[in-house]
Amino acid sequence: PAGSGKRVLVVGAGPSGLSAAYHLARLGHRVAIHDAGPVAGGMMRFGIPKYRLPRDVLDAEIRRIAGLGVELKLNSKVDRILDTMREGRFDAAFLAVGAHIAKRAFIPAGASAKILDAVSVLRSMEDADTTELRPMLGRRVVVYGGGNTAIDVARTAKRLGASEAIIVYRRTRDRMPAHDFEVEEALQEGVLIKWLSTIKHAGDAGLTVERMKLDAKGFPQPTGEFETLEADSLVLALGQDVDLSLLENLPGLEIADGVVKVGADMMTGYPGVFAGGDMVPAERTVTVAVGHGKRAARHIDAWLRGVRYDKGVSHELAGADKLNPWYYSDA
């Protein structure tokens, strides 16, 4: 490898952190990943259901990265990035802390109304090999939100045996952030979707839902029309935030709308500290996160060598013959 053999700290063992560690190791650097969780994978393990991402595939990919000599330190939360870098004598750091904190919404609720958040439901499924450990969602599950996470929870509820899984979304299908093919698959599996609706109150036996209408600018406005929806549980899938506490007192850092501003080289305002994935302004998908990790690794390597990364000529497009890892089969 052509790298300078420096020590690089990666915070977060999700798609972006694993990707960066893989490429940094291939460039000849000594990489250590610190992750607060008990196992690696980040949101790929705790946010994406097994039916969409088989765990044997995920585990094999992680083993492949560890096999390059990447050190993986689990149950290791980084509280202050500069302290950890000093203690471990790291020359640079890549921050890839996922968005694990569920956003809340104030919904007036009865004393016995069962309200959960999507992150907790999906996380609990990871270790729920026995029925007793699985979240008690009940027979009629309502999911509030319109992203891919809402779809995942509704489809998971059906797989847990819910007779009805209903998504309540305040806009129309064409404005739903979830991927359309995910929506289509959910509908085919029997998930119901109530468009142009918001939840106003969670009672002990059901939910009060208000019909909405889109104004001239496409924003949902209340109509004053209400209906009651029977529900055993309500799952909030309203998006997630990133815990940025590890960046406190970091000079030169710019944070806006809960994410960290980085340059084209993925570096924050503090020299040698780079960031990617959910922590920076971008679409929150595994694909984007993996790309951030690769791009950051290239720029970190260049920065450590005191040069600018020159992208040069991109490699040729990969054909189908190069896109067949062991876990794909003809179907």
Side-chain angles (χ1 to χ4, degrees), residues 4-9 24-25 28-32 69-70 90-91:
S4 55
K6 295 291 180 73
R7 277 179 61 75
V8 184
L9 169 67
L24 284 163
H29 300 289
R30 289 168 292 151
V31 186
V70 171
F90 290 102
D91 302 293

Side-chain angles (χ1 to χ4, degrees), residues 44-277:
M44 292 187 292
R45 187 180 301 278
F46 296 114
I48 298 178
K50 293 175 183 176
Y51 71 83
R52 288 216 292 133
L53 179 54
R55 296 308 185 244
D56 59 336
V57 172
L58 178 60
D59 292 338
E61 292 287 348
I62 292 168
R63 279 197 301 273
R64 203 158 68 89
I65 294 164
L68 292 174
V70 171
E71 180 192 344
L72 187 58
K73 197 171 178 185
L74 300 169
N75 296 306
S76 178
K77 188 174 190 292
V78 174
D79 293 314
R80 294 285 183 276
I81 182 61
L82 292 185
D83 291 349
T84 305
M85 287 180 72
R86 251 191 313 271
E87 290 160 13
R89 297 184 178 178
F90 290 102
D91 302 293
F94 178 61
L95 311 181
V97 179
H100 292 261
I101 304 170
K103 286 183 180 175
R104 307 295 298 191
F106 177 69
I107 298 174
S112 63
K114 189 165 180 116
I115 302 178
L116 307 112
D117 67 79
V119 181
S120 299
V121 170
L122 292 171
R123 180 175 284 269
S124 69
M125 289 302 301
E126 182 57 28
D127 302 314
D129 291 325
T130 60
T131 310
E132 298 80 41
L133 290 172
R134 289 182 173 175
M136 299 298 288
L137 298 175
R139 285 284 172 194
R140 293 173 61 90
V141 182
V142 173
V143 183
Y144 194 24
N148 289 315
T149 303
I151 301 284
D152 282 345
V153 171
R155 293 177 72 183
T156 296
K158 290 292 283 185
R159 282 163 172 74
L160 285 174
S163 54
E164 280 192 27
I166 304 167
I167 292 173
V168 174
Y169 178 57
R170 63 200 183 98
R171 294 186 177 183
T172 50
R173 178 167 176 171
D174 61 309
R175 293 179 176 270
M176 199 175 198
H179 296 134
D180 200 57
F181 69 89
E182 295 274 0
V183 178
E184 193 54 47
E185 286 179 9
L187 292 169
Q188 288 172 8
E189 288 174 11
V191 171
L192 305 174
I193 303 180
K194 286 191 76 67
W195 310 105
L196 288 170
S197 302
T198 58
I199 295 172
K200 304 302 287 185
H201 183 267
D204 296 339
L207 307 170
T208 302
V209 176
E210 183 175 7
R211 296 287 299 162
M212 309 294 280
K213 65 178 179 182
L214 296 183
D215 61 20
K217 292 182 179 177
F219 290 101
Q221 302 296 340
T223 62
E225 298 173 28
F226 297 92
E227 64 175 306
T228 302
L229 206 58
E230 279 184 47
D232 297 313
S233 62
L234 168 62
V235 182
L236 303 179
L238 303 170
Q240 290 106 251
D241 289 321
V242 181
D243 181 0
L244 298 177
S245 59
L246 82 163
L247 298 172
E248 278 178 25
N249 304 319
L250 194 66
L253 203 74
E254 198 177 342
I255 295 173
D257 299 324
V259 287
V260 181
K261 289 200 171 179
V262 291
D265 59 357
M266 310 297 290
M267 189 155 67
T268 67
Y270 188 90
V273 175
F274 298 73

